Amino acid sequence: MAAPAGSLPDIRLLALFGVGSFLMRGAGCTINDMWDVDFDKKVERTKSRPIASGALSYRQATAFLAAQLTGALAVLLSLDWNCFPLGAAALLPVSLYPLAKRFTDWPQAVLGLTFNWGAVMGWAAVHGGSVDVSVILPLYTACIAWTLAYDTIYAHQDKKDDVLVGVRSTALLFDQYS
């Protein structure tokens, strides 16, 4: 969508975004597991995660997170310099998502904001840092809606445990209507 009409996407950018997505998604999971360790110990599906089970210490997780973020920074620095502010801005939703389930019934929407930031970054990388809101806003909004839908369905498996540990979700909010 961001590549010029009639041409294939830049293979270098595809590779950078593939690696960057892998690293940032992993960093988000690491942060989530670090901050949710007390919840994860009480939830059947998550109690065997490395930090919750004790297989990995908090210090080791912090070192792993630092490695993930350093790698992601290397990817970001490989993009057009104008992409740097957008890439740095991604740290906010990555950090907010694990907290969202404590304060809002809409953590899946925050996840959508987080996971789909790559659409904004991808456009900016192809177009020299500029963001065409008439293209990006509908794309980003649609991606958020998709993430909200699939993660609400996914969250249904944890509803009983979520109530037990006191976290919130759209699966609990919409209950049988989702």
Side-chain angles (χ1 to χ4, degrees):
M1 185 170 194
S7 65
L8 294 173
D10 181 325
I11 196 75
R12 178 181 168 275
L13 284 178
L14 284 175
L16 286 170
F17 273 84
V19 171
S21 296
F22 178 78
L23 290 168
M24 286 305 294
R25 170 93 186 246
C29 291
T30 302
I31 292 169
N32 188 62
D33 287 358
M34 289 171 71
W35 291 356
D36 282 358
V37 67
D38 292 332
F39 293 142
D40 288 348
K41 289 177 182 179
K42 299 173 187 172
V43 175
E44 187 61 36
R45 185 180 60 81
T46 59
K47 68 182 180 183
S48 63
R49 288 183 175 173
I51 303 169
S53 69
L56 194 64
S57 73
Y58 207 83
R59 186 176 190 161
Q60 289 171 314
T62 302
F64 183 58
L65 176 61
Q68 290 170 307
L69 292 175
T70 300
L73 177 62
V75 169
L76 181 58
L77 293 174
S78 300
L79 299 174
D80 184 290
W81 182 251
N82 293 314
C83 294
F84 190 83
L86 289 172
L91 291 174
L92 181 64
V94 167
S95 299
L96 289 178
Y97 170 66
L99 301 174
K101 65 189 105 181
R102 293 161 170 83
F103 303 108
T104 180
D105 292 327
W106 295 88
Q108 285 72 22
V110 178
L111 182 66
L113 292 168
T114 305
F115 272 10
N116 299 298
W117 192 247
V120 179
M121 290 288 301
W123 181 273
V126 170
H127 295 280
S130 70
V131 176
D132 184 345
V133 176
S134 69
V135 174
I136 292 303
L137 187 59
L139 174 63
Y140 189 51
T141 302
C143 291
I144 292 167
W146 174 248
T147 302
L148 177 63
Y150 79 70
D151 203 58
T152 296
I153 294 166
Y154 182 74
H156 274 275
Q157 68 184 320
D158 293 330
K159 286 190 335 183
K160 289 179 184 173
D161 288 324
D162 287 350
V163 170
L164 178 73
V165 299
V167 297
R168 299 157 74 177
S169 72
T170 49
L172 291 172
L173 176 67
F174 299 141
D175 198 27
Q176 75 271 12
Y177 299 106
S178 61

